[in-house]
Amino acid sequence: MHVGSHALFLVALFQCGFLGFAILDPVDFLALQSIRKSLHDLPGSYFLASWDFTSDPCNFAGVYCESNKVVALNLGDPRAGSPGLTGRLDSAFGKLSALVELSIVPGRIYGPLPVSISQLKGLRFLAISRNFISGNIPVTLGQLRRLKTLDLSYNQLTGGIPRSIGTLPELTNVILCHNRLSGSVPLFRSQVLSRLDLKHNALSGTLAPNSLPASLQSLSLSWNQLTGPVDRLLSRLNKLNYLDLSLNRFTGPIPGRLFSFPITNLQLERNLFSGPVQPIDQVTIPTVDLSHNRLSGHLSAMLSTVQSLYLNDNQFTGKVPASFVDRILSASIRILYLQHNYLTGIEINPTAEVPLRSSICLQYNCMVPPVQTACPLKAGKVKTRPTAQCQRKG
């Protein structure tokens, strides 16, 4: 019997209930067959072995049904270190009209994301990360008005992030990191968006003050080519608990109120931020990295309550406040990197012993470091900045 007619024969048996199990919608039955033909287990994976179409597809590994429709597909063995699947994503995914959830474990799935996925009007969860998906993100994904999570991270996607995705009203998580995406960051209108991760792409352009919602709790845009000021945008995002804008070309000031947000890790290093850093209260963020910018002015004593503080490679001037000394000697500060600035002094007894679990680096400033622990290799071996540079700065 021809393969196609065999499938139709099974569907006919299915509809008549002759196979002794629940009657799956024949459209879904045929769609699962097409999906199965386009995918294969990688060596060491046996996930698709249970996909025997003479038995009930609702009992297949990773297939979940309600009534006579497939509502969730979780493809591949979810256990850590499992080899995953290979092959292409068939357009038949778009035929599973009741699908709410689609996920595929890390593997070697290649080729484009089928445009037909845009037909799944009830889809809420789409996660296909750590594979080899290529091509553009379909603009038509903007038709998935009920989508809450979009995770296409660690693939080989190119082109821009469609503006239509930014219009989805129920988005809570957008994770597109580690691709080859270019163009600008779209305006996100969802008022429930809590996580946006676009790091490690080739995104460029500026971010408008109203481009991201105040609901954001985690924002990662590092390793892109983004430019312009972000002070007005950041001042609005007062629910942030994680912020990483490192390795971009952002300019302008860092807003003082940012340091009062419930952030646990603040990464703004390797940008072009400038001006003074003036928190409005004692900073309780455990880790703050503002290194490799163009920040200037005196060090704020409000920063002395940070456990790991990286201010190196900036243009800070003046003396280090005494509160920093107290907290270094009590081991409250674990890391204090101040090298490569224009600081002129620190009041600390040269015989004072810095606790073993604390590190302080003061080299290449406008003073001879009275004490310091081992500096990172990148700090170089020169202890003090040339006098001529210090006079110009003074």
Side-chain angles (χ1 to χ4, degrees):
M1 186 183 291
H2 186 267
V3 173
S5 56
H6 178 66
L8 291 170
F9 175 67
L10 283 173
V11 170
L13 290 176
F14 217 36
Q15 289 176 299
C16 297
F18 292 152
L19 295 182
F21 41 80
I23 302 170
L24 183 67
D25 184 301
V27 175
D28 286 25
F29 184 93
L30 290 172
L32 288 177
Q33 280 209 319
S34 296
I35 290 166
R36 170 65 186 90
K37 284 174 191 166
S38 65
L39 296 176
H40 312 281
D41 281 304
L42 283 168
S45 172
Y46 305 98
F47 179 80
L48 293 171
S50 70
W51 284 45
D52 172 7
F53 285 89
T54 61
S55 63
D56 183 359
C58 294
N59 290 329
F60 291 177
V63 178
Y64 303 88
C65 303
E66 282 183 11
S67 303
N68 65 337
K69 302 288 288 181
V70 177
V71 294
L73 273 184
N74 305 132
L75 301 180
D77 187 338
R79 290 176 296 188
S82 298
L85 307 174
T86 186
R88 300 173 76 92
L89 298 178
D90 195 274
S91 62
F93 279 101
K95 297 283 179 62
L96 298 171
S97 58
L99 203 64
V100 172
E101 180 176 322
L102 172 57
S103 68
I104 301 178
V105 302
R108 300 189 70 84
I109 305 286
Y110 57 91
L113 196 66
V115 174
S116 62
I117 286 178
S118 308
Q119 298 165 18
L120 304 174
K121 302 302 185 213
L123 197 66
R124 293 179 190 171
F125 186 89
L126 176 58
I128 308 173
S129 67
R130 297 181 187 272
N131 277 277
F132 291 82
I133 307 292
S134 59
N136 292 359
I137 299 173
V139 175
T140 49
L141 287 190
Q143 296 170 17
L144 302 176
R145 307 306 290 174
R146 300 185 70 184
L147 195 65
K148 294 180 182 296
T149 291
L150 176 63
D151 182 356
L152 301 174
S153 58
Y154 293 88
N155 279 291
Q156 297 178 355
L157 294 165
T158 52
I161 301 171
R163 288 185 184 181
S164 59
I165 287 175
T167 69
L168 295 176
E170 296 182 26
L171 275 181
T172 56
N173 299 286
V174 177
I175 309 165
L176 301 174
C177 59
H178 290 268
N179 278 286
R180 300 169 186 173
L181 298 169
S182 56
S184 59
V185 177
L187 181 76
F188 282 92
R189 298 213 177 114
S190 168
Q191 295 305 304
V192 290
L193 186 66
S194 64
R195 181 182 178 190
L196 179 62
D197 189 346
L198 306 178
K199 67 176 174 282
H200 281 268
N201 279 290
L203 299 168
S204 58
T206 59
L207 298 175
N210 63 343
S211 59
L212 302 175
S215 54
L216 269 179
Q217 295 176 31
S218 175
L219 176 61
S220 183
L221 301 175
S222 63
W223 291 87
N224 280 289
Q225 296 153 29
L226 297 163
T227 56
V230 288
D231 52 315
R232 287 172 61 199
L233 169 64
L234 293 179
S235 294
R236 290 178 46 252
L237 306 181
N238 61 355
K239 293 184 176 68
L240 282 176
N241 57 48
Y242 181 86
L243 178 62
D244 186 356
L245 304 183
S246 61
L247 290 124
N248 279 285
R249 297 172 194 160
F250 289 121
T251 55
I254 297 171
R257 64 186 303 245
L258 178 67
F259 297 94
S260 305
F261 296 167
I263 297 171
T264 55
N265 197 319
L266 177 60
Q267 305 282 339
L268 301 180
E269 71 270 17
R270 295 186 185 272
N271 278 285
L272 301 171
F273 289 118
S274 59
V277 178
Q278 298 173 318
I280 55 178
D281 210 341
Q282 286 297 149
V283 180
T284 57
I285 304 169
T287 299
V288 173
D289 193 342
L290 309 181
S291 64
H292 295 273
N293 278 289
R294 296 176 178 177
L295 300 167
S296 58
H298 290 138
L299 294 187
S300 169
M302 299 294 183
L303 289 167
S304 64
T305 40
V306 176
Q307 293 169 28
S308 298
L309 181 62
Y310 303 84
L311 298 177
N312 53 288
D313 295 87
N314 278 291
Q315 298 170 19
F316 290 112
T317 53
K319 291 189 174 182
V320 179
S323 53
F324 282 96
V325 177
D326 296 341
R327 293 183 63 79
I328 270 284
L329 295 181
S330 67
S332 300
I333 295 178
R334 304 297 296 273
I335 294 173
L336 180 60
Y337 280 0
L338 300 175
Q339 68 270 21
H340 288 256
N341 278 288
Y342 294 83
L343 299 169
T344 52
I346 180 169
E347 291 186 22
I348 187 168
N349 190 327
T351 60
E353 287 196 20
V354 177
L356 285 173
R357 61 178 184 271
S358 296
S359 294
I360 179 171
C361 183
L362 297 166
Q363 115 183 8
Y364 211 71
N365 276 287
C366 298
M367 61 174 168
V368 177
V371 299
Q372 71 176 5
T373 59
C375 285
L377 285 173
K378 287 182 180 176
K381 295 182 179 177
V382 182
K383 295 286 184 198
T384 307
R385 195 179 272 282
T387 307
Q389 290 184 18
C390 294
Q391 288 171 340
R392 282 202 301 275
K393 203 67 183 171

